[in-house]
Amino acid sequence: MASKPKLLVLAGTKEARELIEELSSLPDYEVVASLAGVTKTPRPLAAPTRVGGFGGVSGMLDYLTSQKIAAVIDATHPYAAQISQNAAIATTQLNLPLLRLQRALWQPMPDDNWHPVDSVKEAVDFLPAGSTVFFAASPKVAAPLRARPDIHWIIRSLNRPEHADRLPNATYIEGGPAQNWDAEAALFKEKQIQWIISKNSGGTSSFAKIKAARELKLPVVMIKPPKHSDGILYSSIAQVLRELQNSLSFSVL
């Protein structure tokens, strides 16, 4: 009897969680999820889950081969460039389908005051001297902030950085984004925020800060997501499921 195609879902987003729940409810596939391990206590996913990196392209090649993976679905955060690049290289070498599920990016409205840039460094360089700036991103990408000791940073992240990695001119807030813009606006007023640096992550989970900035007429330095040239890009779970049926219309022996 032919075995079911085994799918690897690179997870870590709300969309990935929903996709895994949908795939796990179907009898057609065997599903395994992968998390980078950034969040200390992630909510369990509806499929067996591995946590941690693969060890670069070579490690991913070994994993895909040893586990007989039939297709990879990249549903990571739009800015998780390294894992996405490794997945693209590995699936190309093994001639495996690579599907990318990425939520639609935010689009500026007439009342928004956005300043698009390509990187955190460009965002930091753009800021006027002496500003109080809200920065919501992983401490792993906060190194360029050290170049601006004149800025007072308000940095929010899921995990507070180690003491050695903390900036002397920063106030740290541990936690995730508020779900309503009123709470974000209250935080911005309390901390006397003048500028915001944000990634254009799309979706609803962190949009409240963008709405709050709009309502308070705060300028936002918006970091554009990295461009991905590999894999087929989809913005909905339904599209992914249809493509899987087309790509895997064979039996994995």
Side-chain angles (χ1 to χ4, degrees), residues 169-187:
N169 54 321
T171 299
Y172 290 91
I173 301 173
E174 188 171 4
Q179 295 305 301
N180 64 80
W181 74 267
D182 290 323
E184 295 288 61
L187 174 65

Side-chain angles (χ1 to χ4, degrees), residues 62-85:
D62 290 342
Y63 181 86
L64 296 178
T65 303
S66 65
Q67 296 298 313
K68 297 185 170 69
I69 300 297
V72 177
I73 304 171
D74 181 358
T76 57
H77 192 277
Y79 290 79
Q82 189 62 62
I83 185 66
S84 295
Q85 180 181 9

Side-chain angles (χ1 to χ4, degrees), residues 3 27 33 35 45 74 80 84 90 116 133 165 184 194 223 246:
S3 60
L35 290 172
L45 297 170
D74 181 358
S84 295
V133 180
D165 297 327
E184 295 288 61
Q194 297 170 305
I223 304 171
N246 294 332

